[in-house]
């Protein structure tokens, strides 16, 4: 995907704000370019919120709104606060319900500021994980 410096800064800010809990949200895309950031609440219970869960009906409503606005669900983003920004088995399982969606993962492990956050994106097709480029600017 392509994403502007400003939108990426919003996503990175969300990840750092929620750390050490994982953050999650959705990026609306138009023609492969991110046009809006929608933060979601991580509803995973527990003190650390390692891993993430979203409210399914809320996500479905959000996707309707994105489509009504002429966008498309382009990417689901979340952060990894203690591991590398690579899809976990849980992510791969969850992705089965959202075919064709890019998975943007923000690695905040050890990050002291936005410049330390690692940003990666993947397509997940069944058990096959393919990294795809993120072009910023
Ligand atoms: Zn994950």
């Amino acid at each position: 995907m392509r994403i502007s410096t400003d939108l990426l800064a919003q996503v990175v800010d969300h990840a750092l704000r929620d750390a050490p809990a994982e953050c999650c949200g959705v990026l609306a895309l138009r023609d492969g370019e991110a046009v809006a950031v929608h933060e979601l609440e991580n509803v995973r219970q527990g003190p650390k919120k390692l891993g993430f869960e979203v409210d399914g009906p809320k996500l479905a409503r959000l996707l309707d709104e994105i489509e009504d606005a002429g966008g498309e669900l382009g990417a689901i983003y979340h952060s990894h606060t203690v591991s590398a920004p690579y899809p976990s088995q849980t992510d791969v399982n969850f992705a089965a319900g959202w075919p064709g969606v890019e998975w943007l993962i923000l690695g905040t492990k050890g990050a002291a500021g936005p410049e330390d956050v690692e940003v990666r994106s993947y397509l997940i097709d069944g058990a096959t994980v393919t990294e795809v480029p993120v072009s910023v600017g």
Side-chain angles (χ1 to χ4, degrees), residues 22 51-52 78-80 83 86-88 90-91 103 105:
E22 292 191 10
F52 78 100
H78 72 291
S79 59
H80 281 185
S83 59
Y86 189 84
S88 66
T90 310
D91 297 337
W103 281 73
I105 304 183

Side-chain angles (χ1 to χ4, degrees), residues 12-27:
V12 167
D13 175 70
H14 186 198
L16 290 173
R17 207 184 329 129
D18 283 9
E22 292 191 10
C23 76
C24 58
V26 159
L27 290 168

Side-chain angles (χ1 to χ4, degrees), residues 36-107:
V37 175
H38 300 272
E39 295 185 7
L40 284 169
E41 184 190 351
N42 183 353
V43 297
R44 169 69 59 96
Q45 298 300 309
K48 285 198 162 165
K49 294 196 177 186
L50 286 180
F52 78 100
E53 279 168 40
V54 294
D55 178 329
K58 200 181 264 181
L59 179 57
R61 274 197 304 279
L62 177 59
L63 300 186
D64 284 346
E65 283 171 29
I66 289 173
E67 280 182 12
D68 288 348
E72 56 195 83
L73 168 63
I76 294 173
Y77 72 84
H78 72 291
S79 59
H80 281 185
T81 56
V82 295
S83 59
Y86 189 84
S88 66
Q89 188 58 48
T90 310
D91 297 337
V92 169
N93 295 345
F94 184 75
W98 304 94
V101 170
E102 264 187 56
W103 281 73
L104 191 81
I105 304 183
L106 302 121

